[in-house]
Amino acid sequence: MGHTGPRPGEPLRVTDWDNLGYYMYLPGIFIYDDISQLKWVPDIDARYKMIGGDNFYQAERAPNGNYVDKYLGGVAIMQLPFFAGAHYIAQRYGYPTDGFSPPYQFAVAFVAIFYALLGLFLLRRFLLSYFTDGSVAISILLLCLASNFLEYTAIGGGMSHPYIFLLYVLMLYAARSWHQQPRLWTALAIGWLIGFATMCRPTEAVMLFIPLKWNTHTKEAAKAKWAMVKQHKPHIAMAIVGGLIGILPQLIYWKYVSGGWVYDVGSAWDFLTPHFRVLIGWEKGWFIYTPVTVFFIIGMFFMKGYEWRKAVLWFCLLNIYIIISWRDWRYGGSYSTRALMQSYPLFALPLTALVQDIGTKKWKWGFYILGIYLIAVNLFQHEQYYKTILHFYDMNRKYYGRIYLNPNPTPLDYSMLDNEDMLRSEKGYTKTTLYQNNTKQTVQFAGNGQAVLCYTQLHLQGKETWLRIDCQINSIQGMWGAYLHTGITVGDTTLQNKVRLFYPTSAENKVLDYSFYVEVPQQFHNGRLKLYISRDGDYKGEVMDVTIKSLKKYNYESRFD
């Protein structure tokens, strides 16, 4: 999935990329009366650009020739009341009643916020049953403002996460209610919540472990719990019925469009080799980009005595294991690990337990200051993410180090998205201009190809030599997917480096500065340097300036050669 959310000056567009997959049940059923052939999609994409590229990946052809939505329909059901309101507004005030005009976009944006706020309100009431008001307030502030909760509620609200967030809160209430006083309707609600959450996102079936392990925190409590379950065996059957009711709309849809009651949407898993970089990797690491989540885990050591202790432990650990085992471990374009956001109501319990314990310590103010810092960093990074400075897909350690709390990254900083070579400072280096051309040069090619900007023969001296490449380029067409390359060739060996033309905050039809370093090992000091632009597809641009300089230490040769 590509980065979502409107850009400055662009109209609100919430139902694009993956969001389209969750949403398109509604216009398909209620406007176009077409959920199997989707003949209306090309016209909508031509008008609004919702697919997110040339590939209609949100649906696939079944063997019977019908299209099957690869995203499940639970989110669309939760969006339905707001969709109906948007359709009424569109009819009344003259907007296109096509399911994608502004009223529908605002409806999808607001429904996510509505469900998230409702979930927070109910979560606060639940937490107050166990913790002080102050501890709950601090916990919710950290949960909302120091994590990626904000991104997937206020900006990327077309995804499934804010909807399922509310379902987890409701499950906390249902599980506690049944264990306090078993009722058939509560058992039915527990089953329905599990089935419907699974219909929103299949992996949410792990929600089952919340009621299953509730009130098993001690041997005595577990013994009493299972004795109570035996006394209420019909409740188990009622919960199963509730689960079937919850997922039944999806089964009916699959039967209608594919001919079978169950359809494989194509997920792939690596359960034997889970991807721990989901938690600690520099690409999207949960603990790295939203470090407040470390407290979610630490708090699990402070849950002793609570009836939900085993439920939280089992659920959270199994849920994390499932999330890090998905083969597409980057989870598309995203901020931190988006797939864990919906389960934050469960993580709020250990977090609040930790906050309450720290509140009794003398050093609590140090923790509060750290919390304020984490909130500030997260809000700053949300602004960077919105501008694509914090990249939605290609983050790495060196680049993150260059942009961390940096309000004005330079082209040299941006180059670290692609280029491993970085000279920390040019202080202490002499500079020699090897090549310079400030004459406007038009670059254009069609199809896969490359346009050479310059050739130059290197004659470098010393054991530590760097090149600095500076360019000014106006990309008129084809900036996305275009790269500025260097290749230094000696014999049959080439040393290559590249940086993208579509760097964060860039735009077409604007003269942009590009800079990057190349560290040149001694065996390439007399190589032939080629500077060129490449792209898979058409490209057109103007190169305004090219400067290549060598940098070497003062008196380096006289001291060592």
Side-chain angles (χ1 to χ4, degrees), residues 186-263:
T186 312
L188 181 72
I190 288 173
W192 181 86
L193 284 167
I194 295 171
F196 189 74
T198 303
M199 185 177 162
C200 292
R201 192 179 178 94
T203 54
E204 307 312 323
V206 72
M207 183 186 282
L208 168 67
F209 284 89
I210 299 172
L212 190 66
K213 302 301 292 183
W214 196 277
N215 206 26
T216 61
H217 54 298
T218 65
K219 290 183 179 179
E220 295 77 13
K223 184 177 180 180
K225 181 239 178 75
W226 296 119
M228 185 170 64
V229 170
K230 289 180 181 179
Q231 292 175 359
H232 297 85
K233 290 181 180 179
H235 292 210
I236 299 175
M238 187 62 72
I240 294 172
V241 170
L244 292 174
I245 294 173
I247 204 170
L248 184 60
Q250 189 67 45
L251 302 180
I252 293 173
Y253 165 78
W254 280 335
K255 180 64 175 177
Y256 177 76
V257 298
S258 73
W261 287 104
V262 178
Y263 185 83

Side-chain angles (χ1 to χ4, degrees), residues 292-303 350-351 354 358:
V292 72
T293 56
V294 174
F295 296 134
F296 297 179
I297 305 303
I298 295 175
M300 292 183 183
F301 296 95
F302 294 82
M303 300 188 300
L351 173 63
L354 174 65
I358 289 175

Side-chain angles (χ1 to χ4, degrees), residues 96-338:
T97 55
D98 56 10
F100 293 88
S101 61
Y104 302 94
Q105 300 303 316
F106 280 97
V108 173
F110 283 126
V111 67
I113 296 173
F114 170 79
Y115 284 129
L117 290 177
L118 178 59
L120 285 175
F121 174 77
L122 295 175
L123 178 61
R124 176 182 178 273
R125 292 191 61 181
F126 185 86
L127 293 174
L128 286 174
S129 302
Y130 304 95
F131 307 106
T132 64
D133 198 1
S135 299
V136 172
I138 293 170
S139 176
I140 288 181
L141 282 174
L142 291 174
L143 189 77
C144 295
L145 300 182
S147 76
N148 52 355
F149 173 90
L150 195 62
E151 163 63 22
Y152 293 105
T153 297
I155 301 174
M159 301 290 286
S160 62
H161 313 295
Y163 305 89
I164 305 172
F165 181 91
L166 173 62
L167 299 180
Y168 274 109
V169 176
L170 295 177
M171 174 55 79
L172 290 174
Y173 277 94
R176 183 178 65 178
S177 177
W178 189 89
H179 285 83
Q180 288 177 343
Q181 185 174 352
R183 296 184 180 93
L184 278 172
W185 74 265
T186 312
L188 181 72
I190 288 173
W192 181 86
L193 284 167
I194 295 171
F196 189 74
T198 303
M199 185 177 162
C200 292
R201 192 179 178 94
T203 54
E204 307 312 323
V206 72
M207 183 186 282
L208 168 67
F209 284 89
I210 299 172
L212 190 66
K213 302 301 292 183
W214 196 277
N215 206 26
T216 61
H217 54 298
T218 65
K219 290 183 179 179
E220 295 77 13
K223 184 177 180 180
K225 181 239 178 75
W226 296 119
M228 185 170 64
V229 170
K230 289 180 181 179
Q231 292 175 359
H232 297 85
K233 290 181 180 179
H235 292 210
I236 299 175
M238 187 62 72
I240 294 172
V241 170
L244 292 174
I245 294 173
I247 204 170
L248 184 60
Q250 189 67 45
L251 302 180
I252 293 173
Y253 165 78
W254 280 335
K255 180 64 175 177
Y256 177 76
V257 298
S258 73
W261 287 104
V262 178
Y263 185 83
D264 182 6
V265 294
S267 295
W269 304 89
D270 297 320
F271 288 113
L272 297 180
T273 56
H275 306 282
F276 289 98
R277 63 181 72 182
V278 174
L279 303 177
I280 57 175
W282 292 98
E283 299 87 356
K284 304 289 182 69
W286 197 44
F287 296 145
I288 290 175
Y289 292 97
T290 49
V292 72
T293 56
V294 174
F295 296 134
F296 297 179
I297 305 303
I298 295 175
M300 292 183 183
F301 296 95
F302 294 82
M303 300 188 300
K304 187 176 180 180
Y306 295 108
E307 74 265 29
W308 36 258
R309 176 177 174 269
K310 286 283 186 72
V312 170
L313 282 173
W314 274 79
F315 169 82
C316 290
L317 296 179
L318 281 172
N319 188 43
I320 289 174
Y321 173 66
I322 291 170
I323 297 303
I324 68 175
S325 297
W326 196 34
R327 188 160 298 168
D328 185 11
W329 55 268
R330 289 180 185 262
Y331 284 89
S334 56
Y335 175 50
S336 188
T337 304
R338 63 178 174 87

Side-chain angles (χ1 to χ4, degrees), residues 22-31 75-77 79-80 83:
Y22 289 111
Y23 171 76
M24 64 184 183
Y25 289 92
L26 297 176
I29 293 172
F30 295 103
I31 296 178
V75 170
I77 292 175
Q79 291 172 338
L80 179 57
F83 171 83

Side-chain angles (χ1 to χ4, degrees), residues 416-472:
M416 299 305 293
L417 266 174
D418 306 294
N419 179 28
E420 288 289 319
D421 295 348
M422 173 52 69
L423 184 61
R424 290 186 176 272
S425 172
E426 295 183 20
K427 185 178 180 181
Y429 282 81
T430 60
K431 301 179 184 180
T432 303
T433 299
L434 300 178
Y435 180 91
Q436 187 167 18
N437 182 359
N438 56 11
T439 303
K440 183 185 293 186
Q441 177 181 350
T442 300
V443 177
Q444 183 172 358
F445 54 87
N448 301 348
Q450 57 181 247
V452 177
L453 304 184
C454 77
Y455 284 108
T456 187
Q457 186 70 35
L458 299 180
H459 298 288
L460 307 176
Q461 296 180 343
K463 295 181 180 179
E464 183 182 2
T465 304
W466 292 72
L467 297 181
R468 173 169 170 163
I469 290 87
D470 296 289
C471 292
Q472 283 191 328

